[in-house]
Amino acid sequence: VNRGVEYRCVNLIPFKTIWMYLSTHALSDGNKILNLAGNVLIFVPLGFYLSVFSHRIHLVLRVFILLAVPVLVEVLQYVFKTGASDVDDVILNFLGGLLGMLVCWLAECIYRRWHKNKNLKLFSFGSHKK
């Protein structure tokens, strides 16, 4: 079965691709932003959801998951020859996950301050007490 062109490339040098995107004139600004911001924004929901639905999971484990998922994605990309495996993608994806966690934390802080109750939970599911 011919699946088309197979592509396998690996970059293990941190910030090499990021720097190339920021310094090159060969790509349009739109392509640069789409690639860099897209790699960040695609993982914001994971960080947010881990914060909302995983209050019982220790913060260190949540951060480990935020790092492990993009690493797994890049390894699978290499194994299945579906694109370039790049440590910079892992870095940007991880930053996106952290950004999602930060957004959740800030939303909780603003909600508590608005209601003048430091024990109030914005995201409370199941048997959690407010």
Side-chain angles (χ1 to χ4, degrees), residues 4 28 38 47-48 53 62 75 79 81 83 87 109 118 129-130:
S28 70
F48 188 86
F53 295 111
R62 284 186 266 168
V75 167
V79 168
K81 300 177 186 175
V87 69
C109 288
K118 63 182 176 182
K129 295 181 180 179
K130 287 188 175 186

Side-chain angles (χ1 to χ4, degrees), residues 4 20 29 37-38 45 54 62 75 93-94 98 102 111-112 118 124:
M20 186 271 303
D29 288 340
S54 305
R62 284 186 266 168
V75 167
N93 296 161
F94 179 66
L98 291 176
L102 178 65
Y111 185 75
R112 287 182 191 131
K118 63 182 176 182
S124 180

Side-chain angles (χ1 to χ4, degrees), residues 21-124:
Y21 272 107
L22 294 175
S23 63
T24 187
H25 297 291
L27 296 171
S28 70
D29 288 340
N31 282 341
K32 293 176 188 179
I33 291 170
L34 184 65
N35 190 313
L36 295 174
N39 271 307
V40 171
L41 295 176
I42 195 78
F43 275 80
V44 168
L46 177 62
F48 188 86
Y49 292 139
L50 275 173
S51 292
V52 169
F53 295 111
S54 305
H55 286 291
R56 293 186 181 142
I57 297 176
H58 195 277
L59 177 63
V60 173
L61 182 55
R62 284 186 266 168
V63 171
F64 175 78
I65 292 169
L66 285 179
L67 185 58
V69 171
V71 167
L72 179 63
V73 168
E74 295 301 314
V75 167
L76 290 174
Q77 231 178 318
Y78 178 80
V79 168
F80 291 110
K81 300 177 186 175
T82 58
S85 298
D86 195 330
V87 69
D88 289 348
D89 288 349
V90 172
I91 291 167
L92 294 170
N93 296 161
F94 179 66
L95 289 174
L98 291 176
L99 181 61
M101 291 179 83
L102 178 65
V103 167
C104 183
W105 179 78
L106 286 173
E108 288 274 359
C109 288
I110 291 167
Y111 185 75
R112 287 182 191 131
R113 183 167 239 176
W114 179 266
H115 290 282
K116 295 177 176 55
N117 182 345
K118 63 182 176 182
N119 296 319
L120 197 58
K121 294 275 187 193
L122 174 59
F123 304 109
S124 180

